[in-house]
Amino acid sequence: MNRYRAWCPHCLDFHAHFLHPGVYERCAPHSVATCFGTQPLTSKGPRFERLIDPHLQILDMDAQGIAASVISSADVVQSRSWAEPAEEALLAAQVNDMAADWVARFPGRFIGSAVVPLGDMRLAMRELERALAMGLRIVNLPSNHRGQYLGESRYAELWAAVHERGLVAFIHPDGVRDPWFQEYALWNSIGQSIEEVKVMSSLIYEGVLERHRGVKTVMAHGGGYMPYYMGRLDRNVAFRPSTARNLSKLPSEYLADFHYDSCVYDPRTLENLVERVGAQRVVLGGDDPFADVTALALLESAARLSDEQRGWIAGGTAARLLEGLLPREAARNA
């Protein structure tokens, strides 16, 4: 690890989860992870404890060599999109209060993200303002809200705020709700990656990346399948020019406008991602406490990467992405 410290003074995990116990209890029966309440999850055991106890997360971080973690709501089990707007807003506020509390108690170790109640954009913008006042500068977004993906016009005010204020959007699907994906837990194995393809396509084709050039987005799970199958999208533009009405370049060229986390579970996939978009567009993603391999171990096993590339991924890219957004204590570890 010391081999790439020149590019990464501190390691920063951009993908660590937490749960609010009360929100979890209310939302879990509606989540894809419980098959919409028919397969309840246990709320006991070490993994659950790490989701609700910041001290246990810090022990994990210390063991792995992680200086700071971006914490985001584990929305595959506590997504609030099922709720009516007023309750969704209340639940979102509880999640954000918990994120802000962890940051306040451990300002050098945690960087908080905020969720917003997308069922009512007026309430979403109100909660975003409240979250910003608490120091949360990363917006944790699902791929869609009740089938409306993030490129659609109803989210225009949100994307304008993210861009104009220099915030970072961390896009992490809260699960594909098609019942077909419940068999064999496909909602998790392939469903998340499909959702990432859909939301990136929405942002590209609806023109969000054109209207807000330079907007900071980080795609969970390395952007799913999107970075590896762009030839067909480019071909489609050539055969159907009308599909490019909101584009100024080929769909594949927009890959460089996103950032991605390294949480792809396979060293060859990580190598291919870096080859396609460059290490300076990739941040470290551990998916703590759900992943079975640590983010730095996966990074080390990607044999085709150089130490400079590993350094950018381990913390250099995140430090640049978050520059100017963090309080002093967290910035020291970024």
Side-chain angles (χ1 to χ4, degrees):
M1 196 183 305
N2 290 329
R3 300 190 315 276
Y4 44 85
R5 286 300 189 189
W7 301 277
C8 168
H10 305 285
C11 292
L12 193 153
D13 184 353
F14 216 95
H15 186 164
H17 289 299
F18 73 98
L19 285 174
H20 183 292
V23 175
Y24 166 79
E25 183 177 353
R26 182 76 178 105
C27 295
H30 304 274
S31 73
V32 296
T34 66
C35 193
F36 314 109
T38 64
Q39 299 174 13
L41 301 173
T42 179
S43 58
K44 301 184 183 300
R47 179 168 290 169
F48 185 84
E49 291 298 322
R50 283 147 64 195
L51 285 164
I52 64 174
D53 187 339
H55 298 91
L56 294 179
Q57 287 220 18
I58 288 173
L59 289 176
D60 272 358
M61 293 159 61
D62 289 343
Q64 296 174 36
I66 301 295
S69 291
V70 174
I71 52 171
S72 54
S73 174
D75 279 354
V76 293
V77 289
Q78 67 175 25
S79 169
R80 301 148 304 280
S81 64
W82 58 271
E84 291 305 306
E87 183 174 11
E88 184 187 7
L90 177 62
L91 294 167
Q94 293 177 50
V95 171
N96 294 338
D97 287 345
M98 186 170 179
D101 176 66
W102 281 31
V103 172
R105 290 161 61 193
F106 305 96
R109 306 307 303 274
F110 294 123
I111 300 162
S113 67
V115 297
V116 291
L118 296 177
D120 182 318
M121 294 311 299
R122 180 181 59 84
L123 296 178
M125 298 309 297
R126 180 187 300 174
E127 181 58 24
L128 178 62
E129 291 297 330
R130 198 181 74 89
L132 292 176
M134 295 191 293
L136 305 178
R137 294 291 185 272
I138 299 170
V139 188
N140 177 22
L141 296 172
S143 60
N144 73 92
H145 185 280
R146 300 192 183 186
Q148 295 181 307
Y149 283 80
L150 294 181
E152 297 191 26
S153 59
R154 68 183 301 268
Y155 305 110
E157 187 178 1
L158 175 62
W159 283 114
V162 170
H163 188 210
E164 292 166 7
R165 299 188 183 211
L167 309 178
V168 178
F170 177 54
I171 301 176
H172 186 302
D174 60 4
V176 55
R177 306 189 76 80
D178 182 342
W180 183 87
F181 287 89
Q182 284 295 323
E183 190 72 19
Y184 308 109
L186 292 174
W187 70 266
N188 194 22
S189 57
I190 66 171
Q192 294 292 76
S193 296
I194 291 171
E195 284 297 300
E196 282 138 8
V197 169
K198 291 173 75 173
V199 69
M200 290 176 71
S201 298
S202 177
L203 292 170
I204 292 170
Y205 280 102
E206 295 289 352
V208 172
L209 302 182
E210 285 290 330
R211 290 190 294 275
H212 303 292
R213 295 190 180 188
V215 65
K216 299 176 183 179
T217 57
V218 177
M219 293 302 309
H221 315 125
Y225 303 126
M226 192 70 165
Y228 317 105
Y229 202 69
M230 294 299 295
R232 195 170 181 90
L233 278 78
D234 289 349
R235 170 189 174 276
N236 211 46
V237 165
F239 276 81
R240 295 174 173 82
S242 65
T243 66
R245 58 186 175 273
N246 296 320
L247 311 184
S248 66
K249 53 191 176 183
L250 290 173
S252 62
E253 296 180 273
Y254 289 94
L255 288 178
D257 295 331
F258 294 92
H259 289 79
Y260 308 82
D261 78 16
S262 66
C263 184
V264 295
Y265 301 100
D266 173 65
R268 290 170 295 180
T269 303
L270 179 56
E271 292 164 359
N272 291 337
L273 176 64
V274 172
E275 181 180 354
R276 189 67 195 252
V277 303
Q280 294 183 37
R281 304 301 291 189
V282 183
V283 298
L284 196 68
D287 203 10
D288 194 60
F290 295 111
D292 297 320
V293 60
T294 68
L296 290 174
L298 179 65
L299 190 59
E300 282 290 318
S301 67
R304 287 175 14 216
L305 300 186
S306 68
D307 286 342
E308 179 179 356
Q309 289 172 320
R310 291 190 182 98
W312 278 107
I313 295 168
T317 301
R320 188 173 64 180
L321 189 61
L322 297 172
E323 186 175 4
L325 293 180
L326 303 181
R328 184 177 305 169
E329 296 87 346
R332 292 196 191 104
N333 283 340

